[in-house]
Amino acid sequence: MNDQACDKPRHRYALMIDADRCIGCHSCEVACKMENDLPAGPRPVKVLQIGPVPGACGPVMGFQPLTCLHCDRPACVQACPTSAMQKRSDGIVYSDPDLCIGCQTCAVACPFGIPELNPGTGKIAKCDGCMNRVDQGLWPACVLKCPTGALTFGSPARVVQSTRQQKALRIVQYMTIESAALNTP
Amino acid sequence: MIGCAPLKRIAGTRKAHDRPVRTVCRECTLGCGLVVYVKEDRIVDVQGDEAHPVNRGRLCTRGMAFVQGLTHPERIMLPAARDRIDRPFLTLDNVDQGLDLLAERLQQNRQTHGPESLVIDCAPEAGLDFFLGALRFARLWETPHVFHPLAAPQEIRFPAGVEMSLTPSREPPENGCLFLMEADLATTHPVAFEWVLDAQRRGTKVCAVDTRFTATLAKADMAAVIQPGCGNQLGMAILKEFDAEGLWAAASAMNPMPESKAWAAVCRQLSVASIENIAGIRPGAVRSMVRLLATRSPVKMITGKRPAFFPHYGIWPAIARGTGVGWHPMETGWPALGAAIGSVFGAKHDAPAESATDFGRRAADPVSAAVRAAPKALVCSDDSLNKFLPAFPSLTADMDVAAYFGAFPNKTWERSHLVFPAAAWAETEGLWFSHDSALQWGRRVLQAPHGCCSGLGFWARLAGRFGWGDKFPWSNANGLADHQAFYAWVLSRYPETTGIDAARLKEVSVPIFPSPEQRKSAGWESPASSAPSKIGSETVSDPARRFPLAFQSTRTICGHGDAGRWWSWLRELEAEDVVQVHPDIAAALGIENGDDVRVAGAEDGCRAKAWISRMVNRQTVWSPRRLRADRVLIHKRGQSPEEAHRILKAML
């Protein structure tokens, strides 16, 4: 289908979502709307509140930012009758507004319910990975503005390395604190 | 050794622009740095300032979405007037015409009812210059009634002997424990909350208490939900537990303060059962908190604004004094100007009082004093009438004049005779005080639309009509308010800001903090920290019997600002017509998610969609919509209030 054939090979990127750091402030949602001039209605990034539910030590509540997964074999791309939905060689799945007719076939095909209709334009609005920013070497808007660093962007190897290092540092800090507590008379 | 280099943030805009403007966000009290990109007098993009020490490029929803308000089609751009509030507004040609009308009616009112019949109510959105200008005008007019939510009712100032170099944003990494008391930083100051989370990752223990299970509580190491209005009672319980464990005497000996013994004596009167009954928190949870506070030194307490509106708020500085922990009272008083504001501007404030001693009853405040004075003239900004003077809307019908200074039509606008269009903060320049005493200069991003004036300009032009133009000498060659000259004068008037001039602030793009020596010389005192002579009984009041559920209203996404309601993206995220109900209460009343329910208080009520959630406890319902009610009854459509009352009475 409309995959890598039409554009030159690009580096692939990864968007890491650390739900532990998300506080449900919706900054990512508003950043996306600002960046793409979207009206009320479509939300390419959504923050889902889970809970509170009873837990062993009191209520438990978490937040999960949801956005397009930019699937390796995207059902939306295969279902689109006008080839508006495309996948770039860097992995970004996007809808070309010049080709989109707003039929929402992609919305039906997507198992995660990601594509939504933009009532302002009558075309599909979905996360395009801020490809216009990324092409200029900039971070996506949602990642850049997240107050708590719950979103991270970069090459897959670098993102994974960063996450591993942070987890390792946390373990070291924990051990340091615990050993200090044990040594305190 | 392998270091951990965070991924390099690559910021900027992809949108075509003429110029970037570095300024300070004035949506809340944090003071984040912004880079605003402008093209042909329109804002095309807003990014966080990566070089700014407060937010380091991060932004919250309000810091991004304020742009929507500037070009909103319903924004008020022209002054308007009407004789009675039940008649439509007539648009005036210009602001001067409106100011002439206002001056004429104020003069008539003064002659008939005296100067103290004028009340001025200031909302944070109107800016610091509106508040300071109001204080100056009130002094000339000789009315004591000037209100600002950050300066009332029980303003706590920097008490001597308490470590108050305060900020929720910069210091937490150095603390062993952070105690957040009704301070929902994750919602109201997400950028500051990142610093709390950062501290937590470095080993700081976070203990949070609030009236709902908020995002802040969800991230805390220890969390507790209490009844609305009982935060200060929890403080007293903490002190009692300190005392019972023998920690209070030891700490007091190290930090001898005259109030310590008095507060300890009062708190000993508390019974364990009363704490659980009234505050809704188990004694074991209080004990765990105290042990955390006692063992994780250094500790910083961050108290929110709500406890300041209830009796016994002085317990927090007393705990801070007695135990040597740090204390940060968020949004309670002007941090850099609080003590001196009255002496400089001369407004006669009523002394804060703690006359109400019963549990859960609101403290007497200057607002009540103004209501008793039966005001006949009112000047207010933004939705202050609805939000901060809930007793006033019913009075405006009988007033000689009610003037509204704001940018959007709202409930205050509905109750006004005269309307004056206000410039947004992005359309003015000025000094910005954040709550860690940082001073910054907020640069103007755009020119204000023709006809919209700043708060200072409003008061200066009004004062000119009474021959007091020389008392507002801050105007430029075009006759517009000169904010730089005004703030230079303000800064020169306070001991802790002397030597910091506005021109220097304007040149640098980072905050300036007054030195500790300057702050000490200001001589902060805390008049509200004295202990009460006794604690009232916790008997169930009549309203509590008739309306069995506590009602609480807070904004979430839109924060404090009324303007947020006009930003469609934020409004989309925060439906106003919802009410949160605990699953047990919902099950008992037969309410399901999304059901139409009626929330009824003694004086006010509303219809809303039910949102069943454990964020509230069984005794409380919550809604983003404000009601003039502390206690309510809830029932679904088709169910009689009597039946709902009977069910709840049996259950609670």
Side-chain angles (χ1 to χ4, degrees):
Chain A
M1 295 295 292
N2 310 300
D3 53 2
Q4 296 93 336
C6 60
D7 58 359
K8 61 182 181 183
R10 293 182 171 92
H11 293 295
R12 293 178 76 89
Y13 295 104
L15 173 67
M16 176 73 84
I17 298 175
D18 185 351
D20 282 350
R21 300 176 78 148
C22 181
I23 57 172
C25 69
H26 301 278
S27 286
C28 49
E29 292 193 35
V30 174
C32 179
K33 295 246 188 186
M34 290 279 290
E35 182 65 27
N36 297 293
D37 293 327
L38 292 174
R43 293 159 72 179
V45 189
K46 298 185 193 76
V47 178
L48 191 67
Q49 178 182 322
I50 303 158
V53 293
C57 304
V60 178
M61 181 165 71
F63 299 94
Q64 179 66 54
L66 299 173
T67 185
C68 178
L69 299 175
H70 299 278
C71 308
D72 275 349
R73 287 188 295 167
C76 58
V77 171
Q78 295 180 11
C80 179
T82 63
S83 300
M85 197 67 80
Q86 301 171 39
K87 185 172 178 68
R88 305 202 317 177
S89 60
D90 60 0
I92 288 175
V93 177
Y94 72 102
S95 175
D96 185 340
D98 292 336
L99 298 175
C100 180
I101 56 173
C103 65
Q104 301 182 69
T105 307
C106 53
V108 176
C110 175
F112 308 106
I114 295 295
E116 292 174 282
L117 191 69
N118 179 347
T121 61
K123 297 174 188 296
I124 284 297
K126 73 170 282 297
C127 170
D128 64 357
C130 276
M131 59 183 187
N132 292 329
R133 290 179 60 86
V134 170
D135 288 346
Q136 293 181 30
L138 305 171
W139 271 19
C142 57
V143 183
L144 204 58
K145 289 173 180 168
C146 173
T148 61
L151 307 178
T152 316
F153 183 79
S155 68
R158 189 70 182 84
V159 166
V160 170
Q161 183 198 22
S162 174
T163 307
R164 281 178 174 167
Q165 285 179 337
Q166 284 178 30
K167 298 282 183 193
L169 271 180
R170 204 179 300 177
I171 292 169
V172 170
Q173 283 163 357
Y174 178 76
M175 291 169 70
T176 308
I177 293 163
E178 289 302 304
S179 74
L182 286 172
N183 292 331
T184 304
Chain B
M1 180 178 174
I2 300 171
C4 178
L7 284 165
K8 182 173 169 52
R9 296 164 56 85
I10 308 172
T13 183
R14 66 177 175 85
K15 298 182 179 175
H17 59 276
D18 301 330
R19 58 189 170 98
V21 181
R22 296 171 95 90
T23 189
V24 179
C25 177
R26 283 163 265 178
E27 283 295 325
C28 77
T29 51
L30 202 60
C32 295
L34 296 181
V35 183
V36 185
Y37 296 92
V38 181
K39 183 177 173 61
E40 296 170 356
D41 288 330
R42 282 183 73 91
I43 294 173
V44 293
D45 202 359
V46 179
Q47 299 285 336
D49 187 347
E50 295 289 325
H52 199 279
V54 170
N55 59 324
R56 297 173 300 163
R58 278 86 168 173
L59 281 182
C60 73
T61 52
R62 283 170 281 157
M64 291 179 256
F66 74 90
V67 180
Q68 287 192 302
L70 303 179
T71 54
H72 197 283
E74 291 189 52
R75 183 174 170 186
I76 298 169
M77 304 296 271
L78 288 169
R82 59 184 172 183
D83 290 333
R84 287 170 35 182
I85 59 171
D86 55 354
R87 290 183 180 166
F89 279 112
L90 294 175
T91 304
L92 304 175
D93 295 335
N94 53 50
V95 174
D96 284 319
Q97 201 178 347
L99 287 170
D100 287 339
L101 271 174
L102 177 59
E104 183 187 333
R105 293 195 193 180
L106 286 178
Q107 190 65 48
Q108 289 170 358
N109 174 264
R110 185 188 171 95
Q111 287 167 356
T112 313
H113 302 289
E116 296 201 7
S117 64
L118 171 64
V119 170
I120 302 171
D121 190 18
C122 311
E125 296 101 310
L128 183 59
D129 60 335
F130 184 86
F131 176 51
L132 297 180
L135 286 175
R136 195 155 179 81
F137 183 86
R139 182 187 186 185
L140 297 165
W141 192 263
E142 297 178 334
T143 176
H145 305 307
V146 180
F147 305 112
H148 192 292
L150 297 187
Q154 296 186 70
E155 186 180 350
I156 291 288
R157 292 127 189 188
F158 291 76
V162 178
E163 189 263 301
M164 292 284 293
S165 56
L166 33 91
T167 168
S169 59
R170 254 169 294 279
E171 293 181 356
E174 298 164 11
N175 288 289
C177 175
L178 280 168
F179 181 72
L180 305 175
M181 178 67 212
E182 294 196 52
D184 186 12
L185 287 178
T187 303
T188 58
H189 300 76
V191 173
F193 193 62
E194 156 58 7
W195 296 74
V196 173
L197 293 179
D198 185 44
Q200 193 182 36
R201 284 191 289 273
R202 292 163 190 258
T204 299
K205 291 290 179 189
V206 179
C207 177
V209 179
D210 212 329
T211 52
R212 282 199 313 146
F213 193 81
T214 59
T216 303
L217 268 66
K219 298 292 179 188
D221 299 298
M222 185 184 289
V225 176
I226 58 168
Q227 286 290 89
C230 295
N232 298 335
Q233 274 71 42
L234 176 63
M236 298 172 85
I238 287 172
L239 196 153
K240 177 184 170 70
E241 197 61 38
F242 258 111
D243 191 38
E245 297 264 333
L247 300 166
W248 182 256
S252 298
M254 292 168 63
N255 301 279
M257 297 292 165
E259 294 91 349
S260 296
K261 287 182 181 174
W263 273 108
V266 167
C267 292
R268 282 189 205 110
Q269 298 172 23
L270 278 174
S271 68
V272 174
S274 72
I275 296 166
E276 187 167 4
N277 289 343
I278 300 301
I281 184 168
R282 292 194 183 98
V286 180
R287 202 167 299 127
S288 300
M289 279 178 207
V290 168
R291 285 177 182 164
L292 191 67
L293 294 175
T295 57
R296 303 287 300 195
S297 179
V299 175
K300 173 150 290 186
M301 298 187 301
I302 301 174
T303 55
K305 189 177 165 188
R306 278 199 301 272
F309 286 80
F310 288 90
H312 313 315
Y313 183 49
I315 187 69
W316 300 107
I319 291 175
R321 287 179 184 212
T323 61
V325 305
W327 177 49
H328 172 74
M330 281 181 62
E331 300 182 342
T332 310
W334 296 99
L337 299 179
I341 211 159
S343 62
V344 171
F345 286 89
K348 191 176 69 180
H349 286 283
D350 289 342
E354 286 199 59
S355 63
T357 53
D358 289 351
F359 279 110
R361 190 185 299 174
R362 284 179 186 275
D365 55 53
V367 176
S368 307
V371 172
R372 285 195 300 273
K376 290 294 180 185
L378 180 71
V379 179
C380 46
S381 59
D382 293 285
D383 204 14
S384 54
L385 195 62
N386 181 42
K387 286 194 287 190
F388 309 121
L389 296 178
F392 271 44
S394 57
L395 301 175
T396 54
D398 300 326
M399 285 188 183
D400 294 339
V401 58
Y404 168 71
F405 177 80
F408 298 100
N410 52 30
K411 289 188 177 177
T412 303
W413 171 83
E414 287 172 9
R415 310 291 301 180
S416 300
H417 300 106
L418 288 164
V419 174
F420 295 91
W425 61 259
E427 294 161 350
T428 61
E429 61 176 356
L431 198 64
W432 185 244
F433 292 85
S434 61
H435 272 269
D436 49 11
S437 302
L439 302 174
Q440 300 186 74
W441 188 263
R443 294 183 181 83
R444 177 188 288 115
V445 180
L446 300 172
Q447 290 294 336
H450 181 70
C452 297
C453 58
S454 67
L456 178 63
F458 172 82
W459 288 114
R461 290 160 79 176
L462 183 61
R465 281 157 171 79
F466 296 99
W468 298 328
D470 59 325
K471 305 292 184 187
F472 284 84
W474 309 286
S475 58
N476 58 25
N478 300 324
L480 300 173
D482 185 346
H483 288 83
Q484 187 173 327
F486 173 68
Y487 284 117
W489 178 80
V490 170
L491 289 170
S492 70
R493 304 289 289 184
Y494 297 101
E496 69 269 51
T497 55
T498 306
I500 300 172
D501 70 294
R504 183 182 156 214
L505 275 174
K506 208 170 177 178
E507 286 170 12
V508 298
S509 56
V510 293
I512 291 178
F513 296 88
S515 69
E517 290 72 25
Q518 284 176 316
R519 288 169 56 170
K520 276 179 189 169
S521 70
W524 301 102
E525 285 300 328
S526 176
S529 63
S530 55
S533 55
K534 62 173 186 173
I535 303 170
S537 63
E538 56 271 17
T539 54
V540 178
S541 62
D542 185 49
R545 288 197 191 93
R546 289 168 54 208
F547 302 100
L549 297 169
F551 178 79
Q552 195 187 19
S553 170
T554 50
R555 303 310 301 268
T556 52
I557 308 301
C558 296
H560 72 273
D562 172 60
R565 296 168 193 237
W566 299 92
W567 306 336
S568 56
W569 300 331
L570 297 196
R571 195 168 50 192
E572 181 187 6
L573 295 174
E574 184 181 73
E576 198 174 55
D577 62 338
V578 295
V579 59
Q580 256 179 7
V581 190
H582 190 274
D584 293 351
I585 298 294
L589 295 174
I591 296 171
E592 294 189 5
N593 248 332
D595 276 358
D596 284 327
V597 294
R598 166 85 181 157
V599 182
E603 296 180 3
D604 205 356
C606 70
R607 291 199 178 279
K609 299 281 185 194
W611 172 8
I612 300 173
S613 172
R614 291 180 190 276
M615 288 182 79
V616 290
N617 60 21
R618 284 161 50 117
Q619 290 83 17
T620 308
V621 292
W622 169 92
S623 172
R625 182 190 295 276
R626 282 190 174 76
L627 290 181
R628 294 195 302 279
D630 290 334
R631 304 209 53 98
V632 295
L633 177 67
I634 184 169
H635 58 93
K636 68 175 183 177
R637 182 184 283 181
Q639 186 179 42
S640 70
E642 292 74 21
E643 184 188 356
H645 187 267
R646 182 180 52 75
I647 293 169
L648 291 173
K649 190 179 171 188
M651 190 177 177
L652 299 170

